[in-house]
Amino acid sequence: MSSPHQGAEPAHDATVVAARVAASLAQANGAGLDQQSMLVLKVCEEAGEAAAAWIGVRGQNPRKGVTHTHDDVAGELADVALAALVAIAGIGLDPGRVLDDCVAKVTKRLIDRPDALIHPPA
């Protein structure tokens, strides 16, 4: 099966970019608990923007109607993912390792109980 991006330049490694962004922010703002808190709050802010975009896709604001596309939502969700990786790096952890651990955990669930995600235990 071919990738829709086949032949295109490879995407930047998000975990490397996240670590560089976190280091740059730490240099500008310090790396203490206040800055770490701001990084976590940034994830929440980006999640709110994704929610707002989804509301726009669904046209749930009668005054505004449909204001966003699925591509807009996907872009906002990508912002959430990158902000989360930056926050992970900003609290002193390796975002690649943390992401790999998360994927391994979910993969194990799929292997151990393939129906668990479809039919969670009561």
Side-chain angles (χ1 to χ4, degrees), residues 46-66:
E46 294 295 349
E49 291 177 15
W54 186 248
I55 289 169
V57 165
R58 303 294 298 152
Q60 290 299 300
N61 183 332
R63 187 174 49 82
K64 295 180 180 179
V66 174

Side-chain angles (χ1 to χ4, degrees), residues 106-118:
V106 172
T107 300
K108 183 176 181 339
R109 267 190 230 138
L110 290 170
I111 292 168
D112 291 349
R113 291 229 18 236
D115 66 329
L117 296 179
I118 299 168

Side-chain angles (χ1 to χ4, degrees), residues 2-121:
S2 68
S3 164
H5 303 292
Q6 192 169 8
E9 271 191 49
H12 294 286
D13 183 332
T15 61
V16 172
V17 171
R20 290 181 68 186
V21 170
S24 176
L25 290 170
Q27 186 175 19
N29 303 324
L33 290 176
D34 287 344
Q35 175 60 17
Q36 292 172 348
S37 297
M38 293 302 106
L39 295 175
V40 172
L41 291 173
K42 181 66 175 175
V43 177
C44 298
E45 177 201 0
E46 294 295 349
E49 291 177 15
W54 186 248
I55 289 169
V57 165
R58 303 294 298 152
Q60 290 299 300
N61 183 332
R63 187 174 49 82
K64 295 180 180 179
V66 174
T67 58
H68 290 76
T69 66
H70 284 89
D71 284 342
D72 294 328
V73 175
E76 296 296 347
L77 290 170
D79 288 346
V80 173
L82 187 56
L85 293 172
V86 170
I88 291 166
I91 63 171
L93 300 174
D94 176 357
R97 181 190 56 77
V98 172
L99 186 58
D100 287 346
D101 290 350
C102 180
V103 170
K105 175 181 67 177
V106 172
T107 300
K108 183 176 181 339
R109 267 190 230 138
L110 290 170
I111 292 168
D112 291 349
R113 291 229 18 236
D115 66 329
L117 296 179
I118 299 168
H119 306 289

